[in-house]
Every structure is written in C-alpha cells, then in structure tokens.
C-alpha cells in the first residue's frame, strides 16, 4: 500500500467476534466525543469505531454497540453514536417493507451496464483518473482498504451524481463491490438519498467549504487540485420515484424448535447463531457457507471476500463450541449445491437459519427452499425477536423511527432485550 496515499497506519476492521468486542471496548472511552469528532476525515479514521463491517454481518449486534458506552456515559452523551448504529438497522427494515426498490435497482443496474458511453466514464472515475484529485484519493482508498469514512462517502457520492452526472446505481455498485460493510439496504438507500430519491426534494451536494472544514489539512493539501469544481455544485434533479410504497408489511416467521433431524445453516448475513432463536436448536449437523454466486456476480474484491471468509469461519467455530457439533465450512462452491449435498448426506428433515434480509442472499432463498422441498426437506427461517419488534417502526422517515427506537431502548433499561 502506498504510504503517500495513506500516510498513517491503515485502519483495521475486526473480522472475528472477539476482535469486534475488543475494538468496541477500545472505542468506548472515545464515544463521549463521537458527536463532536465523527465528521472529521483523518487518515486511519481513529475518531470513529470502524465497527461497521462487524455490525453489518452481525459478528456483534447493534444492541451490544448501543449498550457498551452506557457503562461510562449518560445516554444523551452518546446519543449520536447510538443513532448512527441504528441508521443501518433502519435502512434494513425500510427495505424489508419495500423489497421492490431493491429489485428495481438491480434491473436498472443491468441496463446501465450495457451502455458503453456511461461505463467508460464510470471506469475512469473508479480508477481514480478524474479531474478532482481528492475524489481520486477516495476511490483508491476504497479499493485498497475496503472502507471509506462516512463523510467521504457522502462527498464522493454527491460528486459522482451531481458533478460528474453519473448514474447513482453504478456508484452504489462500485461501493458494494469493495466496502467490507457494504449492505444492500444502507448502501443502495444512501445513494438514493444523495441523488434526491429517498427523501424527495433533498439531495447531498459536495461543497468545497465542507471538505476544507472537515478534511485533514495535510491530506487536503496533497489533494487540493480540482476543488474549484466544487465551489458551486448544482443538484441533478431526478424524477420522483413512485415505487416506495410498503408492499411487504409482514413476514412469516418461526420460533418453533422443529422435531426430527435438524441442520443449522450459518450465513454471512448473521454470524451470531449461538445467540437468539437458533440458540434453542439441537442440530444434528451444521454448515457455514459463503454466498459465492453473489460474490462472483457482483465482482466482490479479493479484500472483501477474504474478510468474509474469515468472518464466516469465526461464526462456524463459535457455533461448534456452542452446539458441540462439527460445522462444515464452504466458502468456495455454489451455496445452494453445497447446502443440498450437506443436507442430503446428513438425511436432514429441516434446515434452520436466521432470516437473510433483502439483498442477493435473500433473493436466493426461494430457489434454495424449492430445491430442499424437492428432496423432502423443509427450510425454516427465524427472525431475531428484536427485528420483529423494530421492523414495523421503519414505515416512515428515520427520525420518526429513531424517536420510537429511543422509547424501545429506554424501556429495556441499558439497551434492547435480546
């Protein structure tokens, strides 16, 4: 990695639960200053927790992150940190109620990928060859580290949409391919917000004055060329999106412990199977898989797939310790084929898993269910109780959601009941 691009130590991102817990512990003393410091973009990103990959894949739960700072600070002191943790959850549940927004994004993405005049310009920006040097820096940082500070993400997305006039869908795809914390909901919907589709009438414009206020002075000094293009950016006005109605107000969920020969499927969307509804199981067999078809289809970076493989292995090892059953681990083969071979080998009657949210893995569940059913095997999806409670709160905007979420947190004492 180039020291010129990243002059301090590269940020670290917990890839196991034990690392995530230690990183959370190390961050707690800084949580009281988070509201003041979080917008400042400095190399190494020491002013934010950098726990987003672990939270996104639930190596550590949102409730754990919300509770930890309360051992040291008043709830009001760390409200901004707690709020940011729950933004991700809000996006997940908002999209869960409106899965057609995800399907539309995929359809639009396919169409845009076939437009060579657009993809040529996109490739130039992704490669860090634009006229604004700091945006080139962010593109390279994303590719090399699998991470960008949230403020840098906003600047980059606003530049992409409103200055370069490139389709937001292709920018979201660029982020999703590389971000270790890339989430179908928070990534897609955040790009929609920047473009003015998520909250009609509200866009995000990257202004030179804002970059100069929050960007590390040394970093800014080395990458100032082209900032004049951000003096007076003007918003690209997109047509109102009519596809945001709630179309899936409820989900069929199960918390029953099935009888017979049961297998536990562990996947990258939720890597804490030893806690929650699946903890009640007595599985005969377990398997931990990577959604390798998605990794290939979306062209995930090697850094991202390597991180996922390590996190999946950690989830499997913790499950083995909890259930005293050896877990098969497959992060190379096609997921459905791997699960089918495993389930039939162990003569399972049911496969149980925590429910994947809307996204590529969720899209594959129907095909998996159909294949299992053809072999006489049932697929049972379980929801965490807190997800069942919180999902309906995401019917409107974030701050209405947050007000209700605060009531939930206060009612449960130090955090949610999990």
């Amino acid at each position: 990695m180039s020291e010129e691009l990243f002059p301090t130590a590269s940020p670290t991102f917990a890839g196991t639960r034990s690392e995530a817990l230690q990183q959370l512990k190390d961050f707690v003393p800084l949580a009281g200053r988070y509201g003041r410091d979080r917008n400042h973009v400095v190399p190494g990103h020491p002013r934010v927790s950098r726990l987003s990959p672990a939270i996104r894949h639930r190596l550590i739960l949102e409730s754990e992150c919300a509770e930890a700072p309360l051992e040291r600070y008043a709830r009001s002191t760390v409200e901004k940190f707690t709020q940011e943790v729950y933004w991700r959850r809000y996006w997940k549940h908002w999209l869960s109620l409106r899965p057609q927004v995800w399907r539309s994004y995929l359809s639009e993405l396919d169409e845009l990928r076939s437009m060579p005049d657009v993809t040529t310009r996109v490739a130039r920006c992704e490669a860090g060859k634009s006229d604004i040097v700091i945006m080139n820096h962010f593109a390279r940082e994303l590719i090399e580290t699998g991470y960008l500070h949230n403020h840098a993400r906003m600047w980059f997305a606003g530049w992409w949409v409103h200055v370069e006039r490139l389709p937001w869908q292709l920018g979201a795809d660029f982020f999703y391919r590389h971000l270790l914390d890339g989430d179908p909901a928070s990534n897609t919907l955040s790009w929609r917000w920047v473009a003015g589709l998520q909250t009609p009438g509200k866009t995000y414009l990257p202004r030179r004055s804002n970059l100069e206020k929050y960007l590390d002075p040394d970093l800014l000094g080395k990458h100032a060329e082209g900032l004049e293009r951000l003096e007076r950016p003007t918003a690209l006005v997109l047509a109102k999106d009519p596809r945001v109605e709630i179309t899936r107000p409820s989900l069929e969920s199960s918390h029953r412990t099935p009888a017979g020969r049961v297998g536990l499927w562990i996947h990258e969307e939720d890597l804490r199977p030893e806690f929650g509804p699946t903890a009640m199981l007595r599985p005969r067999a377990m398997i931990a898989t990577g959604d390798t078809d998605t990794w290939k289809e979306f062209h995930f970076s090697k850094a991202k797939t390597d991180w996922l493989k390590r996190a999946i292995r950690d989830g499997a090892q913790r499950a083995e310790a909890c259930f005293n059953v050896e877990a098969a681990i497959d992060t190379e083969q096609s997921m459905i084929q791997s699960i089918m071979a495993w389930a039939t080998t162990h003569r399972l009657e049911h496969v149980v898993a925590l429910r994947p949210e809307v996204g590529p893995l969720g899209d594959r569940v129907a095909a998996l269910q159909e294949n299992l059913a053809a072999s006489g095997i049932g697929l049972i999806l379980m929801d965490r109780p807190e997800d069942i409670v919180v999902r309906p709160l995401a019917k409107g905007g974030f701050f209405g959601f947050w007000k209700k979420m605060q009531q939930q947190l206060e009612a449960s004492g130090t955090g949610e009941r999990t």
Side-chain angles (χ1 to χ4, degrees), residues 8 111 183 219 222 251 276:
T8 64
E111 184 178 347
D183 178 87
L219 196 59
K222 293 178 181 178
L251 294 170

Side-chain angles (χ1 to χ4, degrees), residues 58 61-67 70 75 82 85-86 89 93 275 384-390 405 408-418:
R58 282 186 165 168
L61 300 179
E62 296 92 340
S63 54
E64 294 178 287
C65 292
E67 291 166 12
L70 299 181
R75 188 182 300 277
T82 312
V85 169
Y86 278 93
R89 194 155 193 185
H93 294 321
F275 185 85
R384 293 189 179 278
E386 59 268 32
D387 285 335
I388 294 174
V389 171
V390 175
M405 194 68 248
Q408 293 283 339
L409 293 171
E410 290 168 1
S412 61
T414 58
E416 294 174 61
R417 300 185 195 281
T418 53

